[in-house]
Amino acid sequence: MPTIEHKLNITEEEVPEHIRRLAEEQGECPSSKDQIIEQFRNYILEQNGCQPHRNDAKYLQKFLRARYWKIENSYKLLCSYYKFREHNKSYYEKVRPLELRHIGQSNILTVTPYRDQHGHRILIYRFGLWRPNRVTIDDIFRATIVLQELGSLEPISQIVGGVGIFDLKDLGLEHILHLSPSVAQRMIALLVTSMPIRTSALHIVNQNWVFNAAFKIFNPFLNSAMKEKLYIHGSDMTSLHKHINPEHLPKRYGGLHEDYSYTLWLDMLREQCTGNSVQKDMEQLGFIFDQVLS
């Protein structure tokens, strides 16, 4: 059984040896890493297409890891990230993560406090539980961004990325009415194109006939590479198990684990991150903690 702990692994020392070997296979060379980061920093200044709020090695490294240490691709990701932030300021500025407890209480989304057999954390959406009259789509985006930004602080997640499960049980027309093309585009941006953490796979489970309507909204924004990462399983959990070992899944998907609420991650932020580098990193992005964490 994997270790169950609501704790961020934010130090390089916590990266297991087999993940370090994977990082080297992806292009991360310990002897030349500092040189590539410096080249990336200079490339950003030369191109002048976006102005990151930080250019220290630790920050730039996560963009390089997300794009296998290819400077041009990492720069495109960096600019895409800041473009997303600029167009969606309300998802960052003056957002108080600890006031998003209603998302956890609704069980709409969470991320596992353990990793799968490849080192991924698993982001789980249960859209059938979403009540649009109680929880706005914007709050779902805000809650997702909090998780994505926290995950991007973990060196292990920077290297291996993450996986998503979209549980569409009880998805209804009342949900489809809130899934406009712009919402679909933002969701793809968050999970695939604009965040400094890769999504290695997206798994669709328990879909019903409404899924076809929803997929038509998302499909125009999926390129061939994205479609190769998309797996549709229906209610056949043995199909899902070919990708994620049951040892690393909740019981509802044929696994061994209980469900762990999003609110437990908010508790972690409140209890473990007061005044430390995680809080400072998040505050630099526009999030507000002072009234709750003081």
Side-chain angles (χ1 to χ4, degrees):
M1 288 280 287
T3 301
I4 299 171
E5 189 176 26
H6 285 85
K7 175 182 175 292
L8 294 174
N9 309 123
I10 61 172
T11 67
E12 294 289 336
E13 290 72 24
E14 294 176 276
V15 179
E17 184 57 36
H18 71 283
I19 301 293
R20 293 182 188 277
R21 291 195 297 270
L22 176 63
E24 292 187 19
E25 292 172 8
Q26 294 175 350
E28 183 172 330
C29 179
S31 62
S32 62
K33 183 166 72 172
D34 291 343
Q35 180 182 354
I36 295 175
I37 291 173
E38 182 61 25
Q39 290 174 356
F40 185 36
R41 185 181 291 115
N42 291 333
Y43 188 86
I44 294 169
L45 292 173
E46 292 167 3
Q47 296 298 312
N48 198 32
C50 57
Q51 299 294 329
H53 69 286
R54 291 170 54 181
N55 69 351
D56 56 280
K58 182 179 179 181
Y59 185 70
L60 296 182
Q61 177 174 257
K62 67 181 183 179
F63 289 91
L64 287 163
R65 280 175 164 166
R67 291 299 181 264
Y68 304 107
W69 292 84
K70 304 295 185 183
I71 288 178
E72 185 175 343
N73 291 344
S74 300
Y75 178 73
K76 289 179 180 177
L77 173 62
L78 181 77
C79 291
S80 179
Y81 171 74
Y82 278 94
K83 181 179 179 181
F84 180 88
R85 282 177 50 83
E86 178 65 25
H87 290 173
N88 299 280
K89 291 181 179 180
S90 66
Y91 293 165
Y92 286 90
E93 295 181 0
K94 299 182 180 179
V95 171
R96 289 176 165 81
L98 300 188
E99 293 183 0
L100 294 171
R101 297 190 70 86
H102 61 294
I103 299 290
Q105 292 162 353
S106 299
N107 295 313
I108 301 169
L109 81 154
T110 191
V111 69
T112 57
Y114 51 85
R115 299 178 185 274
D116 72 5
Q117 70 270 25
H118 302 296
H120 307 121
R121 292 198 188 274
I122 307 169
L123 180 64
I124 301 173
Y125 290 91
R126 298 171 64 193
F127 280 115
L129 299 179
W130 174 32
R131 299 295 174 261
N133 61 332
R134 301 178 191 171
V135 176
T136 68
I137 189 68
D138 285 334
D139 273 350
I140 293 177
F141 276 117
R142 291 182 184 106
T144 300
I145 287 170
V146 169
L147 292 177
Q148 292 278 67
E149 292 289 0
L150 289 173
S152 77
L153 299 178
E154 298 186 295
I156 297 174
S157 297
Q158 292 170 8
I159 295 167
V160 303
V163 297
I165 294 178
F166 280 46
D167 185 345
L168 303 185
K169 181 180 180 182
D170 297 326
L171 186 73
L173 291 176
E174 70 272 23
H175 303 117
I176 299 299
L177 292 174
H178 294 269
L179 296 180
S180 66
S182 65
V183 167
Q185 191 171 22
R186 275 175 280 162
M187 183 64 74
I188 295 300
L190 267 185
L191 296 179
V192 183
T193 63
S194 300
M195 294 296 287
I197 181 169
R198 289 190 308 278
T199 298
S200 299
L202 291 173
H203 299 280
I204 309 295
V205 300
N206 296 322
Q207 75 273 11
N208 56 25
W209 65 271
V210 179
F211 167 73
N212 293 328
F215 190 69
K216 287 179 181 178
I217 299 172
F218 281 82
N219 194 48
F221 305 104
L222 297 172
N223 61 31
S224 58
M226 297 175 198
K227 290 177 181 177
E228 289 178 358
K229 298 179 180 180
L230 183 64
Y231 302 92
I232 301 174
H233 305 284
S235 59
D236 181 8
M237 295 306 143
T238 61
S239 175
L240 177 63
H241 298 167
K242 293 176 183 178
H243 301 268
I244 305 176
N245 191 302
E247 185 177 325
H248 309 285
L249 284 168
K251 292 178 181 177
R252 69 178 60 255
Y253 307 123
L256 304 178
H257 292 278
E258 304 298 331
D259 295 319
Y260 296 98
S261 173
Y262 180 90
T263 58
L264 295 172
W265 285 107
L266 299 183
D267 292 341
M268 179 278 299
L269 276 176
R270 185 182 66 248
E271 296 166 4
Q272 300 177 25
C273 298
T274 304
N276 73 4
S277 63
V278 172
Q279 181 184 339
K280 292 175 182 176
D281 285 347
M282 296 292 279
E283 286 178 337
Q284 287 180 353
L285 295 173
F287 297 109
I288 295 177
F289 292 90
D290 54 354
Q291 293 184 6
V292 188
L293 294 184
S294 60

